[in-house]
Amino acid sequence: MKIIPIIMAGGSGSRLWPLSRLTYPKQFLTLEGEQTMLQQTISRLSKLEVECPVVICNEEHRFIVAEQLRQINALNEIILEPIGRNTAPAVALAAIQCLKDLADNEDALLLILAADHIIKDNTAFINAIKISTSYAIDGNLVTFGIEPSSPETGFGYIQAGDEISSGGVSGAFKVNAFVEKPERTVAEGFLSDGGYYWNSGMFMFGARKYLSELHKFCPDIYDSCSKAIQSPDKDLCFIRIDHDIFSRCPDLSIDYAVMEHTANAVVVPMSAGWSDVGSWSSLWDISVKDERGNVLIGDVIAHNSSNNYVHAQSGLVTMLGVEDLIVVQTKDAILVTKHNAVQDVKKIVEELKTAGRSEYRIHREVYRPWGRCDSIDAGKRYEVKRIEVNPGEGISLQTHFHRSEHWVVVAGTAKVTLEDKQFLLGENESVYIPVGAQHCLENPGKIPLEIIEVRSGPYLGDDDIVRIADRYGRV
């Protein structure tokens, strides 16, 4: 039976602010190694015989996901959720879509993974999946339980029952109960008693079995998802579903909707150095440290300091005589907190949101389907941006009502459309775009195009754009 990885890449990642933002959450960040968390999630499956992954993400993140998948040659179907409705509906959409590509009586095993987890021991991870395959083929719904290393109160727990075998394979246990995040004394009892595992939120089951159980226990979710994806709008690799129908779907996790009710829930224990990277402190826990217990990333100098996590993104950070600190510096914000206060980072994000500040939502440097732009200076009637356009890409044919623009090419070659004229600009050449003029910028070359854009006018917001034609389907 085919194994199809389903990668859930939604979520806001507010607990890792300011590096993680609403428009660029943690699953798209490179927190360790050279790949992003999404890319690592897919790459760690390379030693398994699996199909190309199906990714589920928010509409707003579609181009980020597509580009990161393209970079590792894993671009496939991307299901776009118009609104977040938790994991049970998300996986239902994926299951229905996967079955559309199969014969009437054919089935597939779905391997449900989150895009924002870290796995240190890939061999143990792969072995757990191989054990689960036999149980899933037999009609069980497998959840992966993480062997606990501490009385963690931030995770739900799974209580394992009797061990069962399937097709000569052993290593799975019937699920006795799912337990909500416990108090510390309760969690300590779980570790002392044994037979309890952290709930990882990873699963394996047959697509038809999952939909059958979902229909039995949560028919509202099943019906909403079936109707929402019945006639999807396909655009390139993107699959858009009906917004109005899906918005009425109940908001439930797989655990609440199915796993707590089914008679076929089994747990496969996993000891693979797993972390959901739920805070800056947890990232410090799993990172390689120096002899003083420090994790120093970027341009950092630490003297007589210990047990700190410092991430410097845009300039020199120096540490002198301090300990147990988390310091995260981006181009537009700095977070300084103690290890024991990191769970309250979300309160800072909420305060920024309430105050109407953009830092909770977006970075100074933002990614576009054609490349990226960085706001490097701004005044009352002007703004300066550094723009990078990827080879073969280009911005939309557009016009502005309130601002003019001046483009200076720093590197590469620019193909410029200005009203009814088209021409090329090389390094150190420039062009002026008057207010109201139709214009387009493209990169016809083989290397990134870099320009400096100076905007001037009474209103400089990005919403002062009227798109006349756009290759990415934006309006």
Side-chain angles (χ1 to χ4, degrees), residues 100-114:
K100 286 182 179 180
D101 300 328
L102 302 177
D104 288 343
N105 295 319
E106 194 176 0
D107 199 359
L109 296 184
L110 306 184
L111 175 61
I112 314 300
L113 302 173

Side-chain angles (χ1 to χ4, degrees), residues 389-393 409-416 423-427 429 441-451:
V389 183
N390 295 327
E393 305 296 339
V409 177
V410 177
T413 300
K415 179 182 178 182
V416 177
F423 49 92
L424 298 177
L425 294 178
E427 292 182 14
E429 295 183 319
L441 174 69
E442 300 172 81
N443 181 359
K446 301 295 184 183
I447 63 172
L449 164 65
E450 298 180 29
I451 73 166

Side-chain angles (χ1 to χ4, degrees), residues 40-343:
Q40 287 181 346
T41 301
I42 295 170
S43 295
R44 68 173 62 106
L45 300 173
S46 61
K47 294 185 178 181
L48 280 172
E49 293 186 10
V50 296
E51 303 298 306
C52 204
V54 174
V55 177
I56 308 168
C57 71
N58 302 332
E59 173 89 16
E60 189 174 23
H61 299 148
R62 64 193 187 279
F63 294 117
I64 301 172
V65 171
E67 174 60 19
Q68 293 197 0
L69 296 181
R70 185 197 62 78
Q71 291 173 0
I72 59 172
N73 298 315
L75 187 57
N76 190 26
E77 292 181 331
I78 301 172
I79 299 175
L80 304 180
E81 288 185 294
I83 185 172
R85 280 294 179 265
N86 219 313
T87 56
V91 172
L93 293 174
I96 294 168
Q97 184 62 31
C98 289
L99 289 176
K100 286 182 179 180
D101 300 328
L102 302 177
D104 288 343
N105 295 319
E106 194 176 0
D107 199 359
L109 296 184
L110 306 184
L111 175 61
I112 314 300
L113 302 173
D116 59 354
H117 292 176
I118 285 178
I119 302 288
K120 290 289 189 177
D121 187 343
N122 201 58
T123 299
F125 172 72
I126 296 298
N127 287 341
I129 293 174
K130 289 180 177 179
I131 290 172
S132 301
T133 301
S134 179
Y135 291 90
I137 289 174
D138 276 355
N140 293 293
L141 288 83
V142 180
T143 182
F144 295 92
I146 305 301
E147 297 183 5
S149 57
S150 62
E152 179 62 52
T153 60
F155 301 140
Y157 283 73
I158 302 168
Q159 183 187 29
D162 295 333
E163 185 173 9
I164 60 174
S165 62
S166 175
V169 176
S170 59
F173 300 82
K174 294 292 291 185
V175 172
N176 273 358
F178 289 88
V179 185
E180 289 294 325
K181 298 175 182 178
E183 299 291 335
R184 184 170 182 85
T185 54
V186 176
E188 289 172 347
F190 289 167
L191 259 69
S192 176
D193 294 343
Y196 287 85
Y197 301 91
W198 291 338
N199 191 343
S200 71
M202 299 185 291
F203 305 90
M204 177 182 274
F205 37 63
R208 296 188 186 279
K209 179 66 176 182
Y210 174 72
L211 292 175
S212 173
E213 297 294 272
L214 184 66
H215 184 267
K216 181 190 304 181
F217 300 115
C218 282
D220 289 349
I221 293 180
Y222 178 87
D223 292 341
S224 294
C225 292
S226 297
K227 293 173 182 176
I229 202 168
Q230 186 173 18
S231 300
D233 178 14
K234 293 189 177 182
D235 174 22
L236 301 175
C237 59
F238 303 120
I239 298 175
R240 291 184 173 87
I241 65 173
D242 190 287
H243 178 280
D244 292 338
I245 295 175
F246 192 67
S247 65
R248 296 192 292 271
C249 182
D251 184 330
L252 286 177
S253 69
I254 294 174
D255 287 338
Y256 280 119
V258 175
M259 298 299 289
E260 292 186 359
H261 307 288
T262 182
N264 302 112
V266 302
V267 57
V268 171
M270 179 189 294
S271 182
W274 171 91
S275 173
D276 71 342
V277 199
S279 69
W280 286 114
S281 188
S282 67
L283 185 56
W284 174 83
D285 284 338
I286 63 173
S287 298
V288 177
K289 304 169 184 65
D290 65 16
E291 66 279 1
R292 297 291 301 265
N294 295 307
V295 177
L296 308 177
I297 300 172
D299 193 2
V300 183
I301 296 175
H303 179 71
N304 194 28
S305 299
S306 59
N307 299 328
N308 301 293
Y309 182 95
V310 188
H311 190 121
Q313 189 182 72
S314 63
L316 172 65
V317 173
T318 60
M319 309 287 287
L320 178 60
V322 296
E323 60 183 20
D324 299 327
L325 289 182
I326 305 291
V327 180
V328 183
Q329 173 218 53
T330 66
K331 291 182 178 181
D332 61 349
I334 299 174
L335 170 71
V336 181
T337 184
K338 298 281 286 185
H339 277 279
N340 60 9
V342 293
Q343 294 299 337

Side-chain angles (χ1 to χ4, degrees), residues 384-403:
V384 182
K385 289 181 175 286
R386 178 186 172 275
I387 293 177
E388 183 176 302
V389 183
N390 295 327
E393 305 296 339
I395 68 172
S396 57
L397 179 64
Q398 60 186 248
T399 185
H400 310 294
F401 288 129
H402 303 290
R403 72 172 184 255

Side-chain angles (χ1 to χ4, degrees), residues 344-398:
D344 289 333
V345 170
K346 292 187 292 184
K347 295 180 180 179
I348 295 292
V349 175
E350 286 301 317
E351 188 170 334
L352 292 172
K353 185 176 180 180
T354 301
R357 300 191 57 138
S358 63
E359 290 93 342
Y360 86 93
R361 183 177 185 275
I362 196 167
H363 286 277
R364 196 188 82 176
E365 183 177 59
V366 297
Y367 288 80
R368 305 296 190 201
W370 42 261
R372 57 184 175 175
C373 62
D374 185 5
S375 298
I376 57 180
D377 194 17
K380 187 175 181 181
R381 292 180 58 90
Y382 76 90
E383 185 175 14
V384 182
K385 289 181 175 286
R386 178 186 172 275
I387 293 177
E388 183 176 302
V389 183
N390 295 327
E393 305 296 339
I395 68 172
S396 57
L397 179 64
Q398 60 186 248

